[in-house]
Amino acid sequence: MPACTAPETVGGVASALHLPAQRSQLAAARRYAEAAAAAFGLDPKRSYELVYAVNEAVTNAIRHGAPDAQGLVHLSVATDANRLTLVVRDSGTFLRPVAGADDDPGHPRGLALMAIFTDEVRLCTRPGCTTVSLSKDRA
């Protein structure tokens, strides 16, 4: 299984953001994603979609995951020539949804929404570490 590590190098935007695992920090996560999308050159629609997906991932990390020993969840950004990736990491252990739970209107659909709004979603799990990588292509 791949290691749950996040890329730490990017030009123009801080490579990592460490936030207290509190809903009040969602705006900071969205600003970070917006700055990364702007620096990468995503158009407004693609930028909005990525920011929405990041907001979902951070919300899930706060609500369903676990902060690290310092009470933080972590975001990072990486780019290559044509792809921007934002990574959200918490210290929780991901539990696969129960079959049939999607029929419950109160059941969260965060991963499905992330997949709709990005070009690729990667989920890396191991005990005590959940990492969601959200990628958006330039065009």
Side-chain angles (χ1 to χ4, degrees):
M1 176 174 290
C4 288
T5 59
E8 293 290 350
T9 305
V10 71
V13 175
S15 63
L17 177 66
H18 312 285
L19 296 171
Q22 302 166 356
R23 287 185 184 187
S24 62
Q25 298 300 309
L26 287 171
R30 289 190 301 270
R31 285 191 301 271
Y32 180 73
E34 287 169 356
F40 187 68
L42 288 183
D43 66 52
K45 179 180 185 263
R46 295 182 71 71
S47 176
Y48 174 83
E49 291 171 343
L50 182 61
V51 170
Y52 187 96
V54 168
N55 188 77
E56 271 303 307
V58 174
T59 298
N60 285 352
I62 292 168
R63 290 184 67 205
H64 306 294
D68 67 10
Q70 291 78 41
L72 304 173
V73 296
H74 306 275
L75 287 82
S76 60
V77 61
T79 62
D80 64 25
N82 295 309
R83 180 168 275 202
L84 171 66
T85 300
L86 279 107
V87 179
V88 178
R89 181 174 45 88
D90 69 71
S91 295
T93 300
F94 181 80
L95 300 174
R96 301 251 176 235
V98 175
D102 286 338
D103 298 334
D104 176 2
H107 179 72
R109 292 177 175 81
L111 282 172
L113 288 171
M114 288 178 236
I116 289 168
F117 289 115
T118 62
D119 294 313
E120 183 178 27
V121 176
R122 287 188 179 184
L123 178 64
C124 173
T125 63
R126 67 176 191 205
C129 181
T130 297
T131 302
V132 177
S133 299
L134 304 162
S135 297
K136 199 76 167 168
D137 294 336
R138 194 179 298 277

